Amino acid sequence: MEGTQDFVRGAPHRLTLEHPRGVSDILVGPGLLASAGGGALAEVGSWCRGRVVFLVTSEVPDRHCGAAARKLLELAARVETIEVPDGEAAKTVVCAASVWQRMLDLGGKRDSRLVTLGGGAVGDLGGFAAACFLRGIDYMQIPTTLLAQVDASVGGKTGVDLAGGKNTVGAFHHPRFVLADIGCLGSLPAAELRAGLFEVVKMAALLDLDLLALVEESLDRLLAVDAEVLTPVVAASIQAKLDVVEADLEEGDRRRLLNFGHTLGHAIESEFGYRGLRHGDAVGHGMRFALRLARRRGLDPEFAARLLRLIDRLGPPALEDVEQELDVRLDADRLIEAMGRDKKARESGLVWILPAAPGRGEIVPGLDPALVRSELEAFLDTSRAAADGGSP
Ligand code: GLY
């Protein structure tokens, strides 16, 4: 296994995930798509040679990276583009059904290929379409956002949302390849890149302290889309995730560590109707709250303060500003109800993912609901006071 220091700055990397149905090859580097045909990418060429390939994408990533992706697929018999909405709007059963119907109408067979090109939502939807079409066809992910590169495209989680529940219908279906081209990040809005870094911080805090230090030290360069530092950060984040996923492919237990910040984060997104706040930013707020609970369980206050400083430097939009923009006031009881509906909840109740020590997380079921409620009220009050310029 490679550690953060082994990811030489700027070089492309090849990582692998073995799973019961084969292996996912994950390539990370700048300019991967443009170097079509060379080196490891030759395997991608043979994978799609002579096949019908369905390219599931949305308007923005297609505009920026579509031409390079099609060039990479030039050995296919034909490439059929299926455009889906940008963002979470793509993740519906209706949208999945229309992708399946298009694939059937266009002559899709069991050995056809599907390629996703886009952010996490396009990848989740496209992966789900691949998982179910004719009971499962091979697919490749080309993630074009930081969030999708470090998290969503890797590990086989695919799915769509139901009203009131994110990712509530889905399947584990591992991509044959993941191509994380750092060059694609250059066209991302700055706010999108910043939000994606919360998923990096999530993994670094609980799994890889070298990565945490690298993010702290190079935050300005990361935000400036410096490929020399983004490449090792993306590669190390994926490796941290792979180490967890390999040990627990279907989230029986340890994989839940990857949900740090997501318990409250998903509930905030749901209460805001998936508007006004990016997923990564919601996770940033969720990590802030989780740190309050972790402090109650004895987390080293210096480590908690270190993570809070990094979250503050990344600066997710203030909850109060989003409340005003959307005219929605977050309420502790409603958030607790939303957390109970989340797919991470078990029949026995909520499960929290909390930092236990620097570089180590714990999975905590059965926290006293009264404690969670009072901490949540205090958290919301504190966030509003901070947004008003008061002391947090
Ligand atoms: N995004 C969390 C996971 O893949 O398990």
Side-chain angles (χ1 to χ4, degrees), residues 151 154 157 202 241 245 251 255 258-259 262:
D151 193 21
V154 174
K157 279 189 180 175
K202 161 194 95 171
K241 175 164 184 174
V245 169
E251 198 167 287
R255 185 164 177 169
L258 300 171
N259 296 329
H262 285 59

Side-chain angles (χ1 to χ4, degrees), residues 84-108:
V84 298
D86 278 315
E88 206 64 26
K91 287 178 60 178
T92 65
V93 179
V94 171
C95 200
S98 84
V99 174
W100 291 319
Q101 194 63 58
R102 285 286 309 282
M103 291 199 289
L104 195 63
D105 294 347
L106 290 164

